[in-house]
Amino acid sequence: MSGHAEVMRGVVYLPEGDRVVTCSWDKTVRLWDTTTGEEEGEPMEHGVTVDRVAVTKDGKWIVSGGYDGKLKVWEVETHKLVEVWEGHGGWVSSIAISPDGEFVASGDYGGRILIREAKSGGEIRHSIEIGSWVCSLSFSPSGEKIATGHNDNTIRVFDVATADLILGSIKGHERNITSILWSLDGNHLFSGSHDCTIRKWDSDTGDPVGEPWRENDTDGITSLALSPDGTRIASGSFDNTVRFWDADSGSQI
């Protein structure tokens, strides 16, 4: 599927699995049919470089974040811009939507995390100042917690209802954390880093589980994804490869 004029920075499936949404440095968000490979409708013009994109669990809304510090909400079927949410001082570097669709969290390059009420016009429920670039965000399966990964090599976990810090700073990585996600049961966290490792953590204590899963001959991990059944982790790296890992043992498959 080809259409973007610049680097593509994000891709996410709609819930039905027959379409994907992409965002790019060409300042657009686009919708694609995965069967035909054709683009659906006109591009959604964010207006500036778009670095992150997310889709609500019901598949009705797209949220894009760009270098202008704004989140823009689009209707999937019409591609119409519905709302613009402000509050960030600069580049939006991460977006996550809670499992129930009630909250949208976003982080920026300056270290601010905003948690918004999605159904109240993006009203800001909490503003959390970290002071370290927010590279990744992930809601727990229950939606009660949110984990954050930063360029100070640490992980933090916050209570969504109160914005209280529950765990942090969890240390172990030697370079910035590019991706973070939860196990399906919420008992563990997985983090990927530019230090070429994936690490598994106890989400209650922040203690490491086992040894780091180390990639050889790469320049770092850029992204992680958990399989639908929760048994495998896929990792993307700077060496243009994808690797697969057993989520329990950490062995490479």
Side-chain angles (χ1 to χ4, degrees):
M1 295 183 288
S2 179
H4 283 295
E6 297 285 348
V7 174
M8 192 164 60
R9 288 290 294 163
V11 59
V12 61
Y13 271 99
L14 288 171
E16 300 88 349
D18 58 350
R19 293 182 291 178
V20 294
V21 179
T22 59
C23 69
S24 168
W25 286 353
D26 68 5
K27 305 178 183 180
T28 68
V29 177
R30 298 171 187 251
L31 184 64
W32 308 84
D33 185 303
T34 58
T35 302
T36 65
E38 297 295 323
E39 183 177 355
E40 290 192 2
E42 295 296 317
M44 290 159 267
E45 301 282 349
H46 189 102
V48 298
T49 295
V50 190
D51 206 60
R52 291 292 184 268
V53 67
V55 175
T56 56
K57 303 303 180 182
D58 59 11
K60 294 181 179 180
W61 312 102
I62 298 166
V63 182
S64 61
Y67 278 28
D68 57 0
K70 299 177 182 178
L71 297 183
K72 295 192 175 182
V73 183
W74 312 84
E75 189 175 36
V76 168
E77 298 306 327
T78 66
H79 294 200
K80 289 183 179 178
L81 178 63
V82 179
E83 294 177 339
V84 178
W85 300 342
E86 301 190 11
H88 286 289
W91 168 25
V92 176
S93 53
S94 52
I95 302 175
I97 300 175
S98 64
D100 60 7
E102 293 292 325
F103 298 103
V104 176
S106 53
D108 63 34
Y109 188 82
R112 175 182 296 170
I113 299 167
L114 298 179
I115 300 177
R116 304 172 186 267
E117 297 182 9
K119 298 179 181 178
S120 299
E123 181 180 350
I124 298 173
R125 170 73 71 88
H126 301 297
S127 178
I128 305 169
E129 299 290 342
I130 302 297
S132 177
W133 176 16
V134 187
C135 305
S136 182
L137 293 168
S138 181
F139 280 96
S140 65
S142 68
E144 296 176 352
K145 302 175 184 178
I146 188 167
T148 65
H150 303 270
N151 76 327
D152 64 359
N153 313 338
T154 65
I155 298 166
R156 295 169 174 84
V157 180
F158 295 90
D159 183 283
V160 172
T162 65
D164 291 338
L165 181 65
I166 302 172
L167 284 175
S169 303
I170 302 171
K171 298 180 179 179
H173 284 291
E174 297 175 359
R175 295 184 65 187
N176 60 301
I177 296 166
T178 56
S179 187
I180 190 164
L181 49 83
W182 295 77
S183 61
L184 293 185
D185 59 12
N187 292 330
H188 296 102
L189 288 165
F190 301 93
S191 55
S193 168
H194 282 173
D195 67 7
C196 303
T197 68
I198 299 168
R199 295 173 187 251
K200 186 176 181 180
W201 312 87
D202 184 301
S203 63
D204 288 325
T205 66
D207 293 332
V209 177
E211 295 298 315
W213 312 350
R214 185 169 297 278
E215 290 187 346
N216 296 318
D217 303 320
T218 72
D219 291 322
I221 295 168
T222 58
S223 56
L224 297 177
L226 183 68
S227 64
D229 63 4
T231 63
R232 295 186 178 188
I233 300 285
S235 64
S237 304
F238 276 112
D239 65 353
N240 306 326
T241 63
V242 177
R243 291 173 172 82
F244 296 91
W245 311 79
D246 184 284
D248 182 41
S249 67
S251 59
Q252 194 168 322
I253 301 169

